[in-house]
């Protein structure tokens, strides 16, 4: 209450300061807008004011969405004429009737340059559409408006195109760099090619660079506006007649609808940050809208691409040429490098202009980068498939051979036909990929795109570009490899925003289509639980599919419990917490209503630990991603780790939640004893951990089973109960094993009476006869902890 009173008192004195956004939207002749005041549109949608560029003394006049926390400018009055005087004001010049920026009596910038209006009753108003116009109030005539002079942003209701009667045209022009509103290299225009072909065109320094493809059914051929995954929808419309030809859009559900043409020549959706143009068009006509370039350098391959890297190049790639010309921007440097056959990469200097071109040894994939080096962004040419050049040469050789040996002409024709079919197939595949690449936002300005599933909060999945993943892992350098999981190697990566992630590169043979893969991922992204490693996103690049997980600094459980010194770090309360956490995570996987996930590879190395040693189950999505592709006949493909596999799964290939319960039981025994289930020897007898636990339990010596390092911290009844539950989980017969929810109540509930465990699976008792099947498994134990993953070749 008292605050309210103080607030009211303060505000009666300083109304403007308390509610700055309710300020005026109009200036009249005689008014001056100085650098500390702003115009705000009547509905508060837009704000107009002076804004500085950091680290310079340059100030510009601009318009931005009032609620945009990044204050992205939707229009700039003086992109090429920065103001340095701090006493400059915006005003209507009473003498010339122009909108000007002036200081003292001097005009610094003529904003409106339209001679048609001369009047004494002029107003300049910022509208809720974002349009700023100069109007003659006496005849209600608009003399000038910002919508007629677009900069780099297309707002709803703004026209892009031309008026054939007046010759007026509306194009967007990119900024020079993110810090420099000056005119950049790219221009976005509306260039219909006849009535049937309505399309956008990006020109790079005047040359056609990229086209959206035809507008049809509320989307563009190469610009996936309104695709089924996009959260924000637009109503796209155009006018095509003898008087006007233009395009415009309405945001249907966006908060800050705008399309931004970036300095790198990409189009960004201001609401979702989706990027719609490839980061760099290499001039190969690859079905992504890039305009083919007939003058491609011989030395480049269709697969070559630029990849971002942070840091210093190691010696060997230090020879460089520098061009400090401040008009050169990133894309110019890219083009220079691309066209220079000795170029391996380039950087721009810290002020984002000028080029540093790197040349050096020709083996383009053999360089490394020191990530600790200075953080200037570097672009390096990589050839994901360098052997392709040889293949091309071979094709040429065969063509010549065929010409000289005319007898082979027919064969050659056939060959070419086949090649065409294959090419078309490749192109189709590439197009599908490009569709995702578009979704994925290529790597320039913004290298992530969020795929959302029906706007469900928290279930979003980021699609990373391959270049950003390659950069994060320094091109999958072996020193960044964390390990090899059941489905492929795992790398540590550092994203450009410095976030640490773990990246799993899936084996290529999964054979799953992109669309299924992505749908699957969206489901998996919805699985969120404190005891599951979070899937942050994915990356699809040709046949390569990668999953991006949160990074766990404390490695995996096996790193601790099986190590003689590190196991001491895990006292009983911590281990109990880990066991319970794993159980909770498994319960969530098994019970989650929409999709029942059977992990199939629960083991110590798949349990990661966070900084407080809380367990997080990893690899849980894999099982499902791969399962969907299996047919009945292939369920014999056994994915898992011997020692953790239930007998019915290992031998018959049948799996159920009970096979996960079995693995949980084994894992629990390992956590309690600090020993591996496999290659375990006790009193010179070949007996596995399960058998050992079972024998001690039978003899009433279960306490001997505990890890000796736990002696001081363990809570005996809790420990005995845990062993008891674990033995219930590893019973031979799947129907005897409890489900995860029972496991948890048994573990937590001290007074609950537990059934007596039956003989465990794979028990090779000292006097018991061995069945052939148990023998087979015991032989495998000598192979021990190897993860066995058999993929079907296709
Ligand atoms: C800027 O304009 C506002 C409102 O017109 C005024 O209150 C303020 O004193 C001016 N500031 C300067 C530095 O002139
Ligand atoms: C900005 O102006 C101040 C004083 O006018 C000057 O000392 C400084 O060097 C200028 N900074 C830049 C980046 O031009
Ligand atoms: C801006 O707001 C959006 C949500 O509207 C949020 O996701 C984003 O992190 C914010 N950015 C900054 C720099 O605060
Ligand atoms: C602004 O326009 C007037 C003519 O209307 C011209 O005399 C003046 O030089 C212009 N000023 C600038 C800075 O362009
Ligand atoms: C201004 O903002 C309000 C609230 O966000 C919105 O309802 C309205 O449509 C906006 N007006 C325009 C012209 O965009
Ligand atoms: C300017 O024009 C408006 C609308 O015609 C009128 O209401 C207003 O009184 C005029 N103001 C002056 C100073 O002439
Ligand atoms: C001045 O601007 C108005 C409104 O944009 C336009 O109708 C008129 O043709 C322009 N006149 C000239 C001389 O450019
Ligand atoms: C806008 O782009 C079109 C097509 O490229 C071009 O003909 C026109 O001259 C451009 N207009 C301006 C003002 O640059
Ligand atoms: C238009 O797009 C919608 C949604 O993307 C789709 O359902 C419909 O079949 C399309 N219509 C045509 C004629 O392509
Ligand atoms: C889309 O815009 C057009 C033209 O502005 C309009 O006629 C149509 O009703 C709009 N459709 C939707 C779904 O908003
Ligand atoms: C390094 O560049 C210079 C010119 O920039 C050239 O003369 C020299 O041969 C280059 N050295 C190597 C090893 O490429
Ligand atoms: C950009 O930075 C380079 C050095 O990194 C410097 O030589 C050049 O003058 C700068 N250009 C501009 C326009 O500031």
């Amino acid at each position: 209450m008292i605050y309210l009173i103080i607030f009211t008192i303060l505000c009666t004195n300083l109304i403007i300061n308390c509610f700055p956004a309710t300020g005026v939207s109009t200036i009249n002749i005689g008014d001056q807008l100085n650098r500390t005041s702003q115009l705000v549109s009547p509905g508060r949608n837009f704000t107009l004011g002076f804004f500085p560029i950091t680290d310079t003394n340059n100030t510009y006049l601009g318009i931005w969405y009032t609620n945009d926390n990044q204050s992205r400018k939707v229009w700039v009055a003086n992109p090429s004429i920065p103001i340095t005087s701090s006493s400059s004001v915006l005003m209507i010049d009473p003498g010339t009737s122009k909108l000007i920026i002036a200081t003292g009596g001097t005009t610094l910038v003529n904003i409106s340059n339209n001679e048609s209006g001369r009047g004494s009753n002029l107003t300049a108003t910022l509208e809720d559409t974002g349009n700023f116009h100069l109007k003659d109030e006496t005849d209600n005539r608009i003399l000038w408006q910002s919508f007629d002079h677009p900069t780099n942003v297309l707002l709803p209701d703004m026209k892009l195109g031309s008026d054939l009667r007046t010759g007026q045209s509306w194009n967007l022009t990119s900024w020079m760099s993110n810090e420099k509103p000056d005119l950049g290299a790219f221009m976005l225009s509306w260039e219909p090619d006849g009535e049937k072909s309505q399309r956008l065109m990006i020109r790079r320094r005047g040359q056609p660079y990229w086209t959206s493809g035809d507008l049809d059914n509320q989307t563009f051929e190469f610009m996936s506006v309104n695709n089924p995954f996009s959260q924000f929808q637009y109503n796209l419309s155009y006018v095509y007649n003898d008087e006007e030809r233009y395009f415009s859009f309405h945001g249907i559900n966006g908060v800050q609808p705008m399309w931004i043409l970036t300095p790198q020549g990409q189009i960004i959706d201001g609401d979702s940050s989706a990027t719609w143009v490839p980061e760099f068009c290499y001039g190969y006509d690859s079905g992504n809208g890039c305009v083919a370039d007939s003058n491609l350098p011989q030395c480049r391959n269709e697969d070559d691409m630029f990849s971002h890297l942070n840091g210093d190049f190691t010696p060997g790639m230090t020879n460089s040429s520098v061009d400090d010309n401040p008009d050169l921007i990133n894309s110019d440097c890219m083009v220079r490098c691309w066209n220079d056959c000795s170029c391996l990469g380039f950087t721009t200097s810290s002020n984002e202009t000028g080029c540093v071109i790197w040349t050096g040894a020709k083996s383009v994939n053999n360089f490394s980068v020191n990530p600790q080096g200075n953080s200037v962004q570097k672009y390096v040419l990589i050839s994901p498939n360098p052997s392709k050049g040889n293949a091309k040469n071979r094709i040429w050789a065969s063509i010549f051979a065929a010409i000289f040996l005319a007898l082979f002409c027919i064969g050659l024709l056939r060959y070419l036909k086949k090649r065409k079919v294959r090419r078309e197939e490749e192109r189709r595949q590439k197009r599908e990929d490009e569709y995702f690449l578009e979704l994925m936002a290529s790597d320039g300005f913004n290298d992530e795109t969020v795929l959302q599933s029906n706007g469900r909060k928290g279930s979003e999945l980021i699609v990373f570009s391959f270049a950003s993943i390659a950069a994060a892992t320094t091109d999958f350098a072996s020193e960044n490899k964390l390990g090899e999981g059941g489905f492929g190697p795992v790398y540590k990566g550092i994203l450009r925003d410095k976030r640490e992630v773990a990246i799993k590169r899936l084996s290529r043979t999964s054979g799953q289509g992109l669309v299924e893969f992505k749908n699957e991922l969206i489901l998996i992204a919805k699985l969120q639980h404190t005891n599951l490693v979070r899937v942050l996103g994915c990356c699809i690049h040709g046949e390569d599919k990668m999953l991006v997980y949160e990074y766990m600094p404390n490695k995996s459980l096996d790193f601790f419990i099986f190590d003689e010194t590190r196991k001491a770090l895990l006292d009983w309360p911590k281990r109990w917490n880990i066991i319970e956490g794993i159980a909770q995570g498994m319960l969530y996987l098994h019970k989650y209503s929409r999709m029942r996930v059977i992990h199939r590879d629960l083991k110590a190395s798949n349990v990661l630990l966070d900084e407080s040693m809380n367990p997080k189950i990893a690899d849980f999505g894999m099982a499902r991603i791969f399962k969907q592709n299996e047919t009945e006949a292939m369920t014999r493909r056994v994915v898992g780790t011997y020692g953790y596999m239930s007998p019915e799964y290992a031998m018959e290939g049948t799996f159920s939640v009970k096979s996960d319960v079995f693995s949980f039981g084994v894992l629990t025994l390992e956590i309690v004893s600090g020993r591996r289930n496999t290659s375990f020897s006790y009193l010179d007898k070949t007996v596995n951990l399960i058998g050992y636990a079972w024998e001690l339990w039978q003899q009433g010596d279960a306490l001997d089973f505990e890890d000796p390092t736990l002696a001081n911290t363990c809570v005996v009844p809790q420990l005995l109960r845990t062993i008891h539950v674990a033995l219930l989980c590893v019973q031979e017969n799947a129907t005897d094993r409890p489900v995860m929810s029972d496991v948890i109540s048994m573990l937590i509930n001290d007074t609950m009476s537990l059934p007596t465990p039956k003989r465990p699976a794979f028990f090779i008792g000292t006097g018991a006869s061995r069945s052939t099947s148990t023998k087979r498994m015991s032989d495998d134990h000598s192979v021990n902890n190897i993860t066995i993953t058999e993929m079907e070749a296709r």
Side-chain angles (χ1 to χ4, degrees):
M1 193 62 200
I2 198 116
Y3 289 110
L4 192 64
I5 293 167
I6 293 172
F7 183 75
T8 314
I9 292 168
L10 283 174
C11 283
T12 42
N13 295 327
L14 300 162
I15 284 171
I16 300 293
N17 288 349
C18 289
F19 304 102
T22 57
V24 291
S25 62
T26 300
I27 57 174
N28 300 301
I29 289 187
D31 294 344
Q32 294 191 340
L33 188 79
N34 62 30
R35 287 172 80 158
T36 55
S37 45
Q38 293 169 341
L39 294 186
V40 177
S41 69
R44 300 198 56 219
N45 301 38
F46 288 93
T47 299
L48 177 146
F50 287 97
F51 66 93
I53 296 279
T54 44
D55 297 338
T56 66
N57 290 330
N58 292 347
T59 301
Y60 298 86
L61 181 73
I63 299 176
W64 56 92
Y65 273 105
T66 307
N67 292 328
D68 182 6
N69 55 9
Q70 300 165 58
S71 292
R72 291 165 296 184
K73 306 301 175 288
V74 302
W75 182 74
V76 176
N78 53 326
S80 311
I81 315 171
I83 313 267
T84 46
S85 155
S86 61
S87 57
S88 51
V89 293
L90 169 71
M91 57 186 276
I92 301 168
D93 183 349
T96 61
S97 301
K98 284 181 181 177
L99 208 47
I100 59 167
I101 299 173
T103 179
T106 318
T107 303
L108 297 174
V109 182
N110 285 316
I111 298 174
S112 69
N113 236 337
N114 186 322
E115 306 287 348
S116 69
R118 277 279 162 102
S120 53
N121 195 351
L122 302 178
T123 58
T125 305
L126 179 62
E127 305 261 18
D128 273 337
T129 55
N131 193 11
F132 181 49
H133 59 62
L134 181 68
K135 197 164 156 187
D136 188 341
E137 293 289 345
T138 49
D139 54 3
N140 225 359
R141 202 159 47 99
I142 292 192
L143 304 176
W144 174 93
Q145 56 183 349
S146 65
F147 271 21
D148 282 341
H149 303 272
T151 54
N152 65 331
V153 172
L154 192 68
L155 288 172
D157 292 329
M158 237 166 109
K159 292 176 180 175
L160 193 72
S162 55
D163 185 328
L164 303 180
R165 295 161 301 186
T166 62
Q168 164 92 33
S169 62
W170 306 276
N171 302 327
L172 299 191
T173 308
S174 63
W175 283 22
M176 187 104 110
S177 72
N178 292 328
E179 302 284 306
K180 229 180 173 188
D182 208 350
L183 306 182
F186 295 94
M187 181 178 272
L188 174 67
S189 52
W190 181 246
E191 297 191 18
D193 183 12
E195 171 116 47
K196 287 274 172 284
S197 178
Q198 301 290 326
R199 57 190 179 185
L200 297 166
M201 171 79 85
I202 294 181
R203 289 168 179 271
R204 183 187 173 281
R205 301 221 180 269
Q207 294 304 310
Y209 174 79
W210 174 89
T211 167
S212 64
D214 294 348
L215 171 60
D216 184 23
N217 192 16
Q218 290 295 312
T219 191
F220 290 100
E221 192 178 0
F222 304 122
M223 181 171 161
S224 55
V225 185
N226 296 330
N227 73 67
F229 311 106
S230 53
Q231 191 186 356
F232 298 103
Q233 306 292 315
Y234 298 94
N235 181 3
L236 313 179
S237 57
Y238 68 89
V239 168
Y240 183 89
N241 57 38
D242 288 341
E243 299 183 339
E244 282 188 306
R245 291 173 184 179
Y246 66 81
F247 165 80
S248 71
F249 74 88
H250 294 284
I252 291 173
N253 55 352
V255 184
Q256 290 155 0
M258 57 174 155
W259 292 359
I260 307 168
L261 180 66
T262 71
Q264 286 80 27
Q266 298 180 289
I267 303 175
I268 289 188
D269 169 3
D271 260 325
S272 69
S273 298
T275 311
W276 283 320
V277 179
E279 177 189 17
F280 181 56
C281 280
Y282 295 90
Y284 290 101
D285 186 11
S286 55
N288 55 3
C290 285
V291 175
D293 175 358
S294 51
N295 300 318
L296 283 171
Q298 285 290 316
C299 54
R300 301 296 180 209
N301 252 317
E302 206 162 327
D303 284 341
D304 292 356
M305 60 185 290
F306 286 101
S307 176
H308 298 242
L309 292 166
N310 277 326
D312 287 332
F313 292 116
T314 51
M317 223 173 118
T318 49
N319 207 12
S320 60
S321 71
V322 183
D323 186 339
D324 270 340
N325 182 348
D327 291 337
L328 292 173
I329 62 165
N330 237 358
S331 87
D332 297 311
C333 307
M334 273 184 174
V335 169
R336 280 193 178 194
C337 183
W338 184 252
N339 290 327
D340 173 357
C341 288
S342 67
C343 178
L344 301 183
F346 70 91
T347 60
T348 49
S349 46
S350 51
N351 44 24
E352 293 191 54
T353 55
C355 295
V356 180
I357 301 281
W358 299 82
T359 55
K362 202 67 195 163
S363 51
V364 285
N365 282 339
N366 281 343
F367 61 88
S368 63
V369 166
N370 166 19
Q372 262 73 51
N374 81 57
S375 62
V376 174
Q377 189 88 163
K378 293 180 177 68
Y379 298 78
V380 176
L381 259 177
I382 56 171
S383 296
N385 194 1
S387 61
K388 207 157 174 190
N390 296 336
K392 262 188 193 161
N393 290 342
R394 251 179 274 128
I395 289 166
W396 279 115
S398 67
I399 289 171
F400 281 120
I403 289 167
F404 283 112
L405 305 167
L407 283 172
F408 290 106
C409 256
I410 294 162
L412 178 71
L413 282 174
R414 266 202 201 143
Y415 168 76
L416 286 176
K417 201 169 177 183
K418 252 191 201 161
R419 195 171 72 150
K420 194 176 163 210
V421 170
R422 202 179 62 222
R423 280 241 167 119
E424 257 158 28
E425 173 58 25
E426 273 173 14
R427 195 162 291 169
R428 194 195 56 75
Q429 179 68 36
K430 209 157 185 177
R431 213 136 135 162
E432 198 183 347
D433 288 359
E434 292 299 343
Y435 174 67
F436 280 98
L437 278 175
E438 266 178 54
L439 283 179
M440 282 177 205
S442 12
D443 349 294
F445 199 61
N446 205 310
D447 59 357
E448 344 181 303
T449 296
V450 173
L451 276 187
Q452 233 148 356
S453 38
N454 307 328
R456 237 182 85 111
K457 227 186 153 147
S459 61
E460 61 201 28
L461 190 71
I462 300 170
V463 186
F464 295 88
S465 64
F466 180 71
S468 69
I469 295 291
T473 57
T474 329
D475 277 308
F476 302 99
S478 51
E479 64 265 25
N480 288 333
K481 193 159 157 181
L482 294 172
E484 184 91 28
F487 300 91
V490 184
Y491 297 86
K492 182 180 173 177
I494 300 174
L495 298 179
R496 255 192 294 154
D497 59 11
K498 303 273 184 267
R499 241 187 320 165
E500 292 181 318
V501 293
I503 294 159
K504 171 160 252 179
R505 194 171 194 176
L506 302 184
S507 317
R508 291 185 171 220
T509 41
S510 81
Q512 199 175 22
L514 281 174
V515 175
E516 294 102 308
F517 180 76
K518 191 193 65 306
N519 290 343
E520 183 85 56
L521 272 168
I522 289 176
L523 283 182
I524 285 161
K526 281 187 188 168
L527 289 175
Q528 293 193 2
H529 187 271
T530 43
N531 296 115
L532 299 182
V533 172
R534 221 164 96 69
V535 177
L536 301 174
C538 66
C539 168
I540 302 159
H541 178 69
E543 295 219 323
D544 265 327
K545 292 169 190 140
M546 282 144 275
L547 293 178
V548 180
Y549 295 94
E550 63 179 330
Y551 178 71
M552 288 292 133
N554 267 338
K555 309 209 174 179
S556 50
L557 185 57
D558 60 337
F559 181 74
F560 287 93
I561 53 168
F562 301 138
D563 183 274
E564 285 313 315
T565 48
R566 284 189 287 261
K567 61 166 55 167
L569 294 170
L570 293 180
D571 57 12
W572 174 251
K574 285 213 181 83
R575 291 197 203 189
W576 165 254
N577 177 53
I578 289 170
I579 292 169
E580 203 215 325
I582 298 170
Q584 296 286 6
M586 291 309 291
L587 172 65
Y588 178 81
L589 286 180
H590 288 173
K591 292 278 274 201
Y592 188 68
S593 56
R594 296 200 191 186
M595 50 188 277
R596 171 171 288 198
V597 176
I598 298 168
H599 189 295
R600 296 208 284 171
D601 200 12
L602 180 65
K603 57 178 170 178
S605 59
N606 273 341
V607 174
L608 307 185
L609 298 173
D610 72 6
E611 46 297 324
S612 333
M613 294 290 181
N614 293 311
K616 289 188 187 255
I617 300 169
D619 259 11
F620 54 87
M622 296 284 100
R624 202 185 146 85
I625 284 183
F626 278 77
K627 194 186 98 198
Q628 196 171 64
N629 205 40
E630 288 173 338
T631 63
E632 278 302 306
M634 285 158 58
T635 45
R636 290 209 155 260
R637 190 191 78 181
V638 172
V639 178
T641 306
Y642 283 112
Y644 291 91
M645 273 192 269
S646 62
E648 72 276 9
Y649 180 35
M651 281 155 212
E652 291 149 37
T654 60
F655 55 89
S656 65
V657 291
K658 295 296 185 72
S659 18
D660 276 352
V661 169
F662 183 91
S663 310
F664 174 79
V666 175
L667 181 55
T668 304
L669 291 176
E670 290 185 332
I671 295 171
V672 171
S673 65
R675 307 163 99 152
R676 286 185 199 274
N677 184 32
T678 50
S679 21
F680 176 84
S681 127
Y682 161 62
L683 297 179
D684 291 338
K685 282 176 226 151
T686 317
V687 66
N688 63 13
L689 188 69
I690 301 176
Y692 178 52
W694 171 250
E695 284 196 343
L696 290 176
W697 176 267
Q698 295 279 68
Q699 295 158 16
D701 296 333
L703 215 49
D704 289 353
F705 185 70
E706 73 165 339
D707 186 339
T709 58
L710 292 180
N712 298 327
T713 57
C714 91
V715 181
V716 173
Q718 205 177 41
L719 183 105
L720 290 177
R721 178 168 275 271
T722 305
I723 297 173
H724 190 156
V725 173
L727 285 171
L728 289 171
C729 291
V730 296
Q731 293 175 101
E732 177 136 39
N733 196 341
T735 53
D736 292 336
R737 293 176 215 147
V739 292
M740 254 9 255
S741 53
D742 293 340
V743 168
I744 290 174
S745 36
M746 287 176 187
L747 284 172
I748 293 177
N749 197 337
D750 293 340
T751 55
M752 187 173 172
S753 69
L754 305 181
T756 310
K758 295 187 188 153
R759 213 176 88 104
F762 308 138
F763 168 55
I764 307 143
T766 42
S769 66
R770 300 179 180 190
S771 71
T772 46
S773 55
T774 52
K775 177 147 188 299
R776 209 176 78 208
M777 291 313 297
S778 69
D779 288 341
D780 282 325
H781 287 156
S782 59
V783 183
N784 78 49
N785 202 31
I786 296 166
T787 294
I788 298 170
T789 310
E790 294 165 20
M791 301 304 176
E792 298 290 320
R794 272 138 209 286

